[in-house]
Amino acid sequence: MSQSASFSSDHIPDISDFYPEKWTIKFVNEGAANLVFEVRLPPSPPSTTGSHANGHSDIFHGHLLRVPKAGAKTFPYPELLQYWDSTITPLFPPENLVQHQLVKLGQSPSKVITILDELLSKAESGRRKDFRGTRVLPDAQYGMLIEDMRSRNPSDYFVEFKPKWLSSSPSQRTRCRNCAREAYRDHLDPSHHKAHRLGILCPLDFIACRSNRGSLENVLKHIVPASASPSHRNHLADWLRTNSLLPLLQQAQAKHDPSQGVNLELAMTLRDCSLFLRISTPQDGTGQPTRIEAKLADLDKKNAAKKKKHWEELERDLVEGGFYEGKEQPREETDCLLERAAN
């Protein structure tokens, strides 16, 4: 479904043609750079047999609308999609990636953006405090339709997590990079309680849980809510023990090591992605097996020129401060798999 940014703009659908003033819209989520909405079109007149204004079927079905946020210093969406096509898609099978499609937001001033901003103003109280007041980039020309991985039916189960740094540190170190960074953060902020320090999941457990029961239980404890049914928990445990996606991500991370300074933007992108997992159990008595879909998301191109200095300074602080070896003073306690194995 991914649509290359090199395509002519004539081939990119313009969602302002779908009468946005008649949309039913829900604000779904946001990050520092993007906003995500659920859009539903009004029912089609009988004469159109399921099509809408310009002859297209419901373009939003099974997708969410992502738009850029004002003030975020990120790359334009066509450039992000071009990066996705050229750099990300060769690394993973298409069934393991949340798919994207570029769409136009209409002529400026865009009525699509106006309507989305109006919804944001009404949703302020439910937004994160540091995101309140932010709006859609006013002159944005493009949005993206992204595959909706949320539960489709009441019997479905959805979980999202960040795998982070899946490769272990050099053998002489007793903490992985992620746990070393958490120890550094706690060192800078002594107000953090011990429960916070030990409540951080070590990413190495994601790989170790294939053969280590303790790591498997640790992962399940962190990513499975109490509301999950025993059946969903068991299906997720089976997936964690047998999946090929996390080892594939680990291999990609190992191949693109930020310490080597080559393609730093890809190295950091692979360590900051999200994994969406949906477990679908048929309830229609057909006897169809449970289906598990696992897909990577949040693989946008990083601004290496902007973040390179921060990344390098943080790595220097971790090394010089002894956080990889657990030699910082006072010593911070973590739940790193390497520390557990050493004790």
Side-chain angles (χ1 to χ4, degrees):
M1 170 178 167
S2 181
Q3 182 174 344
S4 173
S6 64
F7 286 1
S8 166
S9 62
D10 293 340
H11 295 87
I12 302 173
D14 188 334
I15 61 174
S16 68
D17 292 340
F18 291 81
Y19 303 110
E21 63 275 3
K22 296 183 179 180
W23 292 352
T24 299
I25 311 174
K26 291 182 181 179
F27 173 53
V28 175
N29 208 344
E30 65 184 309
N34 303 283
L35 297 143
V36 180
F37 300 87
E38 175 189 296
V39 179
R40 293 187 179 182
L41 298 180
S44 303
S47 60
T48 63
T49 61
S51 296
H52 289 268
N54 50 13
H56 292 284
S57 60
D58 186 347
I59 193 172
F60 296 107
H61 180 70
H63 303 93
L64 298 171
L65 174 62
R66 191 182 100 167
V67 293
K69 184 180 285 188
K73 297 180 180 179
T74 57
F75 297 101
Y77 274 16
E79 187 172 344
L80 290 180
L81 199 59
Q82 187 175 56
Y83 177 80
W84 168 274
D85 283 340
S86 64
T87 306
I88 299 300
T89 58
L91 300 177
F92 304 98
E95 63 269 20
N96 287 145
L97 293 172
V98 172
Q99 298 298 315
H100 302 67
Q101 180 181 359
L102 197 65
V103 294
K104 297 177 185 176
L105 299 179
Q107 295 290 328
S108 182
S110 168
K111 54 187 176 182
V112 172
I113 293 177
T114 298
I115 290 171
L116 296 179
D117 279 345
E118 290 174 353
L119 179 62
L120 287 172
S121 67
K122 296 176 182 178
E124 289 289 13
S125 61
R127 301 176 68 189
R128 229 174 73 174
K129 288 185 177 180
D130 54 333
F131 288 160
R132 292 175 186 171
T134 55
R135 297 291 184 263
V136 181
L137 181 67
D139 58 350
Q141 295 179 293
Y142 298 98
M144 281 189 193
L145 296 183
I146 57 175
E147 187 178 1
D148 187 358
M149 284 292 293
R150 298 175 301 169
S151 297
R152 295 173 178 170
N153 302 297
S155 60
D156 288 355
Y157 175 74
F158 170 77
V159 64
E160 172 187 356
F161 57 86
K162 280 187 173 290
K164 299 186 179 179
W165 296 60
L166 295 174
S167 296
S168 59
S169 306
S171 58
Q172 71 271 20
R173 295 177 176 177
T174 56
R175 282 193 190 125
C176 70
R177 201 274 185 184
N178 191 73
C179 291
R181 185 196 61 182
E182 292 300 330
Y184 175 70
R185 287 178 172 176
D186 290 337
H187 189 76
L188 295 180
D189 186 1
S191 66
H192 283 177
H193 298 294
K194 180 179 179 180
H196 169 266
R197 295 196 297 271
L198 299 182
I200 301 296
L201 174 63
C202 176
L204 302 186
D205 279 325
F206 281 117
I207 301 300
C209 69
R210 301 174 70 83
S211 57
N212 185 312
R213 182 69 185 180
S215 288
L216 177 62
E217 291 298 326
N218 203 33
V219 172
L220 291 172
K221 178 181 70 175
H222 279 84
I223 70 173
V224 180
S227 59
S229 71
S231 174
H232 287 149
R233 191 179 191 277
N234 290 337
H235 283 305
L236 182 55
D238 288 341
W239 182 85
L240 287 167
R241 283 192 294 258
T242 62
N243 79 92
S244 59
L245 179 54
L246 288 173
L248 186 60
L249 177 60
Q250 180 194 36
Q251 293 169 18
Q253 289 182 359
K255 183 177 180 180
H256 302 280
D257 187 343
S259 66
Q260 298 177 4
V262 179
N263 204 344
L264 183 60
E265 60 192 22
L266 176 58
M268 302 311 296
T269 292
L270 292 171
R271 289 159 174 81
D272 194 38
C273 64
S274 298
L275 192 147
F276 295 164
L277 190 145
R278 180 169 59 204
I279 301 174
S280 303
T281 304
Q283 300 292 303
D284 54 8
T286 60
Q288 292 296 316
T290 295
R291 183 184 182 194
I292 300 179
E293 300 168 272
K295 304 192 179 194
L296 297 176
D298 299 331
L299 285 160
D300 285 351
K301 180 181 180 180
K302 298 288 186 183
N303 191 333
K306 176 185 174 184
K307 298 190 176 188
K308 185 173 185 291
K309 181 179 179 181
H310 167 73
W311 288 332
E312 291 176 342
E313 290 178 349
L314 175 57
E315 188 65 19
R316 185 189 65 233
D317 290 343
L318 294 179
V319 172
E320 295 180 357
F323 290 94
Y324 280 114
E325 293 81 16
K327 295 180 179 179
E328 72 280 353
Q329 293 297 325
R331 191 177 188 280
E332 304 291 344
E333 188 175 2
T334 74
D335 194 35
C336 186
L337 176 62
L338 297 179
E339 285 195 282
R340 277 181 268 143
N343 295 330

